């Protein structure tokens, strides 16, 4: 029987499966576990209400447990309608007494009603993956803005939006850009998204990647992870970019670089990873080969022009779970995965726990930092403090059993001089 009465999840009977999987993930999250044990003793978040809007996965469950161990009163809703793991949502309510509002496949109205329910919790701290709670607070719930001491933001797209709000003078409280920590984006965005995106594509389609033309749009942190792993599976990878520096990097990393206008007619599998809109536009869809598979791993489902695809189609059907077939007038078929939403979290389980350990260690420590420093923070987007980032890297290596060298005194002196060693 659920202890918290406040929740909206698929089925509490799923809780035992969720608990098993949360504990499995926990084994891969030793840095977060160490933080949880310290939080348990020190209670740095005692008395603070937190509204978290994150993908409801096993790793997120372990972050919620950590915040609660630190004394926070936490509520969780989903940051994407398709990413919720219903057994995890049930377990958080039933086993860990944490209110959750999230059901996999919820419609848009329910999705936003669940964010409102999290805001009803009267948070003093927010934790977003895509700035949805912050968006709601700054639009329909402005009367609560004064209660918030700080927010945390997990992903690139959210940080871009928050920086735009800061530039407009619209941001009403300080936000810590967890995505900007090197122990976050260098690993989560690259290796986490790289592996789990390929996992999502394969789980949805069972397609062979070897020998196929795999088009990755965007060569940022996520795009390079996807490209790297697709190449590892034997695909011929083509990268599209708008930034000359990143296009050059892709080229010298050994990929073919083309504009989407040319790649569209060549590719077998397309994956967008840009955070931008209509990267695969109508004219690109019109040029695609019969059987092309298109998907997205960027934050919002706007990277592929799905309305145009619907207009172009004379017939649609579900070909497999998470695969929608669009038949065009000339008989060609295009397959869209996971409604164009984050394919790695919709059709697979999202990032492996070992990498989320670092992302969520940043979330937990950034929350502690925000509480401790609330009075000195302005209404700006802040990076995670350098020493927190470094400490997470150090701990991660230690928990992976990897030792590194330390600078000797002689080397420290040498590196700090300008006139020695010629
Ligand atoms: N799937 C996941 O689990 C996951 C994880 C982390 C980040 N993300 C999301 O992935 C997206 C990308 O994040 P990132 O960290 O790689 O960002 P990034 O800024 O490092 O990279 C984005 C790249 O896309 C390029 N780009 C922009 N418009 C383009 C266009 N029209 N065509 C081709 N390239 C274009 C940019 O030049 C840039 O190099 C964001 O929406 C982010 O929130 C998803």
């Amino acid at each position: 029987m659920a202890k918290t009465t406040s929740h909206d999840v698929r089925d509490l009977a799923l809780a035992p499966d969720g608990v098993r999987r949360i504990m499995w993930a926990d084994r891969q999250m030793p840095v977060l576990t160490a933080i949880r044990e310290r939080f348990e003793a020190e209670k740095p978040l005692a008395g603070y209400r937190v509204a978290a809007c994150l993908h409801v996965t096993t790793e997120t469950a372990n972050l919620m447990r950590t915040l609660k161990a630190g004394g926070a009163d936490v509520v969780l809703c989903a940051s994407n309608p398709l990413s919720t793991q219903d057994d995890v949502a049930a377990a958080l309510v039933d086993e860990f007494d944490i209110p959750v509002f999230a059901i996999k496949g919820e419609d848009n109205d329910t999705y936003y009603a669940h964010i409102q329910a999290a805001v009803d919790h009267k948070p003093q701290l927010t934790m977003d993956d895509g700035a949805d709670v912050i968006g709601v607070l700054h639009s329909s719930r402005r009367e609560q803005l004064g209660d918030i001491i700080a927010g945390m933001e997990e992903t690139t797209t959210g940080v871009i939006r928050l920086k735009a709000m800061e530039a407009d003078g619209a941001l009403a409280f300080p936000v810590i850009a967890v995505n900007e920590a090197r122990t976050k984006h260098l690993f989560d965005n690259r290796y986490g998204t790289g592996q789990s995106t390929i996992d999502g594509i394969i789980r949805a389609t069972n397609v062979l990647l070897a020998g196929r033309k795999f088009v990755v749009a965007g060569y940022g942190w996520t795009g390079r992870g996807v490209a790297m792993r697709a190449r590892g599976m034997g695909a011929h990878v083509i990268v599209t970019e708008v930034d000359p520096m990143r296009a050059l990097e892709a080229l010298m990393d050994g990929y073919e670089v083309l504009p989407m206008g040319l790649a569209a007619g060549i590719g077998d599998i397309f994956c967008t990873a840009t955070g931008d809109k209509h990267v695969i536009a109508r004219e690109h869809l019109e040029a695609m080969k019969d059987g092309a598979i298109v998907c997205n791993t960027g934050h919002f489902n706007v990277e592929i022009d799905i309305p145009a695809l619907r207009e172009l189609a004379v017939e649609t059907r579900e070909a497999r779970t998470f695969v929608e077939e669009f038949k065009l007038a000339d008989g060609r078929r295009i397959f869209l995965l996971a409604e164009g939403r984050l394919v790695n979290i919709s059709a697979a389980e999202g990032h492996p726990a070992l990498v989320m350990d670092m992302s969520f260690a940043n979330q937990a420590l950034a929350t502690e930092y925000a509480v401790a420093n609330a009075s000195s923070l302005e209404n700006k987007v802040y990076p995670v403090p350098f020493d927190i980032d470094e400490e997470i890297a150090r701990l991660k290596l230690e928990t992976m059993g990897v030792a590194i060298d330390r600078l000797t005194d002689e080397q420290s002196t040498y590196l700090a001089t300008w006139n020695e060693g010629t």
Side-chain angles (χ1 to χ4, degrees), residues 155-157 189 193 218 220-222 240-243 246 273-276 279 297-299 342 344-345 351:
T155 198
T156 315
T157 286
N189 300 27
T193 313
W221 295 110
T222 56
T240 75
E241 250 298 344
V242 291
D243 177 338
R246 286 191 154 171
T274 69
D276 197 0
V279 177
T297 202
H299 189 75
L342 299 150
N344 62 327
I345 315 188
H351 299 12

Side-chain angles (χ1 to χ4, degrees), residues 102-164:
I103 298 173
K104 185 171 178 106
E106 61 198 7
D107 62 24
N108 225 36
D109 289 348
T110 312
Y111 176 73
Y112 282 103
H114 281 162
I115 294 175
Q116 294 284 351
V119 176
D120 287 344
H121 196 66
K122 304 260 182 291
Q124 294 136 307
L125 293 154
T126 66
M127 190 173 280
D128 265 306
D129 185 330
D132 275 343
V133 167
I134 290 186
V136 164
L137 281 165
H138 282 76
S139 52
S140 61
R141 304 288 287 263
R142 293 192 65 84
E143 70 283 4
Q144 283 180 240
L145 284 173
D147 301 341
I148 314 287
I149 61 166
M152 265 56 65
E153 172 54 50
E154 170 79 5
T155 198
T156 315
T157 286
V159 172
I160 290 169
R161 295 193 157 200
L162 293 165
K163 285 187 174 163

Side-chain angles (χ1 to χ4, degrees), residues 7 12 55 58 72 96 139 146 170 179 193 263 279-280 307 317-320 324 326 376 416:
H7 62 264
L12 289 178
H55 301 298
T58 52
F96 300 108
S139 52
N179 185 70
T193 313
V279 177
I280 295 183
R317 70 176 185 107
E318 185 185 51
R320 278 167 66 110
E324 190 173 358
F326 292 78
S376 60

Side-chain angles (χ1 to χ4, degrees), residues 229-295:
R229 294 303 177 235
R231 176 158 68 185
M233 300 286 282
H236 172 98
V237 177
I238 298 167
V239 170
T240 75
E241 250 298 344
V242 291
D243 177 338
M245 202 65 72
R246 286 191 154 171
L248 198 54
E249 277 188 278
L251 192 67
M252 296 218 179
D253 284 344
Y255 300 107
E256 184 173 359
V257 176
L258 288 175
M260 185 58 85
L262 290 179
I266 299 173
D268 298 302
I269 301 155
F270 295 81
C271 182
T272 52
T274 69
D276 197 0
K277 189 179 177 186
H278 293 179
V279 177
I280 295 183
R282 185 188 196 99
E283 67 266 27
H284 305 135
L285 293 162
E286 281 173 336
M288 283 182 186
K289 297 193 297 196
D290 182 32
I293 292 169
V294 290
C295 66

Side-chain angles (χ1 to χ4, degrees), residues 147-228:
D147 301 341
I148 314 287
I149 61 166
M152 265 56 65
E153 172 54 50
E154 170 79 5
T155 198
T156 315
T157 286
V159 172
I160 290 169
R161 295 193 157 200
L162 293 165
K163 285 187 174 163
M165 287 172 77
E166 180 191 331
D168 272 357
L171 191 62
F173 51 83
V175 179
I176 302 188
V178 169
N179 185 70
E180 307 301 88
R182 289 168 304 152
T183 45
K184 199 281 181 180
H185 67 262
L186 291 181
F187 303 95
D188 164 321
N189 300 27
R190 181 166 37 174
Y191 303 108
T193 313
Q195 176 168 318
S196 59
T197 298
I198 300 298
D199 185 15
I201 293 169
I202 292 175
R203 285 199 208 191
T205 61
N206 198 24
V207 72
L208 183 78
L209 298 187
R212 312 306 300 281
K213 297 244 175 6
F214 191 116
V215 180
V216 180
Y219 201 65
W221 295 110
T222 56
R224 65 191 61 199
V226 176
M228 182 198 304

